[in-house]
Amino acid sequence: MTARRLRAALLLAATVPLTAATAAAALRAGHWRLYADLHRIELTPRPRRSCPDCRGEGGWWVGGANPGMEACGCWANRRELRVRLLPAPAWPDEPPF
């Protein structure tokens, strides 16, 4: 291995953990949840702990005949981001037997 390739490999080995740690800190600070698999990468918003309305719970229960949860605006009004990577395999309509 030449000195130039060795230097490049060492630089890459040093920067990859730093980049991963920086990305994780940015996701936590921006209140995002990261999910990745072979088929997609998803960034979904999370509730803020410092929200004065929901106090980090993400919403509150609304009473009545059919109680339900009303989502707080600290995360519900933010968009989800998805990147498709590989197409998901098609499921057969009927079992093969």
Side-chain angles (χ1 to χ4, degrees):
M1 184 178 274
T2 65
R4 180 176 283 177
R5 286 189 182 182
L6 179 61
R7 194 172 346 146
L10 289 175
L11 181 63
L12 182 63
T15 58
V16 168
L18 178 63
T19 305
T22 304
L27 288 173
R28 265 188 250 117
H31 304 285
W32 291 95
R33 180 177 302 132
L34 173 70
Y35 174 79
D37 64 7
L38 289 175
H39 305 291
R40 67 190 172 276
I41 298 173
E42 290 182 2
L43 287 172
T44 55
R46 294 186 325 186
R48 292 181 310 163
R49 290 185 192 172
S50 62
C51 178
D53 296 330
C54 70
R55 297 182 193 96
E57 295 293 322
W60 48 87
W61 288 98
V62 177
N66 297 318
M69 186 168 186
E70 185 174 330
C72 183
C74 70
W75 69 275
N77 297 335
R78 294 169 64 190
R79 290 181 19 187
E80 289 185 357
L81 305 172
R82 290 186 183 148
V83 177
R84 288 186 53 193
L85 300 176
L86 294 174
W91 290 92
D93 291 337
E94 296 181 8
F97 48 86

